[in-house]
Amino acid sequence: MDIDPKVQAGRRRLLGAALAVGPASLVQAQSFNFTPQQRYPDPSVRILDPEFSKYRIYSSSVEQLATGFRWLEGPVWFGDGRYLLVSDIPNDRILRWDETTGAISVFRHPANFSNGLARDRQGRLLTCEHLTRRVTRTEYDGSITVLADRYDGKRFNSPNDIVCQRNGAVWFTDPPFGIGGHWEGDKAAPELPHSVYRIDPAGGRVTLALSDLAGPNGLCFSPDEKVLYIVESRHQPYRVVWAYDVGSDGALSGKRLHIDAQGAGAIDGIKCDEAGNLWCGWGSNGSPDAKSEELDGVMVFNPAGKPIGHIRLPERCANLCFGGAKRNRLFMASSHSLYALYVETRGAA
């Protein structure tokens, strides 16, 4: 396929937008030492069901790529530039990790306390911003286009996670987490209920997909995009993931329970692999009897919602994505650090 030279030039400008910054100037929080597992297979990658064995690479172990952050969220892979972008929300910045050099640098600061990041079908960066309570797109020349900042005349709460369908429709969750205090944005009263929205690819009209979930959080599509998974992070008594059938017009139907944490596990960001398994950021829900050291990391569920694997990390994992040259490297945004692990499956999109 021939690409317009102007588009190519714009992409090069976008890919080179990050400024190299020395490690000392990047530190905005405590850095933590990480001791990787010396033995293969890595005991941090736990098989809960024999089905997970085919996804674990015997000679691959968990790696810490960078540390010194306050709360990492929303990683997204840019294969055409061989780098990862990730939000460090309380530090109000988007960071860039370079695969070729291993360097970490600042991509955007200030970043309006950005959270979820994704790419549209043209490769442009989509950003959920807590401070401005909007969803934006970064154009090839670096300029910012506002895709949505209100519904029915009222401001969003704090757009959280975001995904783009193959047809170009953009979906995002809108819980009140960013306006609940002064840590991830500005404290403010909500104007809208907790909801999930869809931005139409032809004209950009914002429609309400659903508003019956308490704290809708991570979301992702099944490989065929016929099912949308959404985390309800304030569901009681435990956090859950719902599955919905997706109509050709974007309508959601057939709500059904897909995953129940059934305890103190806190489900956050989620991604689907090409086999239909859900890889879920995992940690403690903060209950007094929760044992974070036994929960922190990534839980993997098969297409039927059965837990089959657990990647243990020394920190809670908020969100994750697949990337690398073959889309088989799992990047895990985990509180103060960024981790990675090669697995024998690839991201669904």
Side-chain angles (χ1 to χ4, degrees), residues 2-21:
D2 294 331
I3 300 177
D4 190 317
K6 292 182 179 179
V7 173
Q8 288 182 319
R11 287 184 175 178
R12 285 194 293 268
R13 285 193 295 272
L14 177 60
L15 297 177
L19 299 176
V21 179

Side-chain angles (χ1 to χ4, degrees), residues 3 34 47 72 104 121-122 124 139 150-151 163-164 168 196 216 240 243 258 277 308 316 328 342:
I3 300 177
F34 173 71
I47 295 174
L72 290 187
I104 191 84
R121 303 317 296 179
Q122 289 73 46
R124 295 167 295 189
E139 308 297 347
R150 60 192 66 231
Y151 177 75
V163 65
C164 184
V196 178
V240 298
H258 186 65
N277 302 300
I308 59 174
R316 170 178 173 157
N328 68 332
Y342 285 98

Side-chain angles (χ1 to χ4, degrees), residues 24-83:
S25 62
L26 263 180
V27 175
Q28 295 289 338
Q30 179 66 51
S31 297
F32 289 92
N33 292 327
F34 173 71
T35 303
Q37 297 288 346
Q38 186 172 352
R39 292 184 174 87
Y40 285 148
D42 187 340
S44 301
V45 184
R46 301 176 60 235
I47 295 174
L48 305 182
D49 184 275
E51 184 179 351
F52 187 66
S53 301
K54 59 186 175 184
Y55 302 117
R56 185 192 67 170
I57 297 177
Y58 184 91
S59 54
S60 171
S61 60
V62 175
E63 306 165 79
Q64 186 192 63
L65 303 180
T67 187
F69 317 118
R70 287 206 168 99
W71 179 246
L72 290 187
E73 272 272 22
V76 59
W77 175 251
F78 279 73
D80 40 357
R82 295 184 64 185
Y83 66 83

